[in-house]
Amino acid sequence: MKKQDFAKERHRLASKLYQVRNELGIKQIELQEEGIISQSHLSKIENAEINISAIMLWRLAQRYGKSISYFFEQ
């Protein structure tokens, strides 16, 4: 996979994570208070500044009531 393709996929995943969280009405600080992820770390993931680990994606998917594969659907 080319570097720009990888970045494009990271942006798509970040956007989907942001969209689902907002549709559910969950604030970043709520996830921090629940001990799932820090607000600053989630912000960086949702802004595609950093990659998300598989374990963190799994934890967020569980919290959002989605399967991991949902975040990779077109």
Side-chain angles (χ1 to χ4, degrees):
M1 180 179 280
K2 296 179 182 177
K3 193 172 187 176
Q4 65 260 31
D5 292 337
F6 185 75
K8 184 178 176 181
E9 288 300 312
R10 184 177 62 235
H11 281 275
R12 192 184 62 71
L13 177 57
S15 177
K16 198 142 189 183
L17 284 163
Y18 174 82
Q19 176 187 357
V20 171
R21 182 179 60 74
N22 280 297
E23 286 174 359
L24 294 171
I26 301 170
K27 301 208 179 302
Q28 290 178 342
I29 196 71
E30 290 177 58
L31 296 170
Q32 178 173 300
E33 290 168 352
E34 293 172 15
I36 296 173
I37 188 171
S38 74
Q39 183 276 326
S40 62
H41 194 83
L42 181 56
S43 177
K44 289 177 184 176
I45 291 169
E46 289 182 348
N47 287 304
E49 295 173 16
I50 61 173
N51 293 323
I52 187 169
S53 71
I55 292 170
M56 185 52 62
L57 179 57
W58 177 74
R59 290 181 75 189
L60 289 173
Q62 282 190 314
R63 175 61 175 84
Y64 297 162
K66 305 286 184 185
S67 66
I68 290 178
S69 63
Y70 172 84
F71 294 96
F72 296 99
E73 295 171 358
Q74 296 290 341

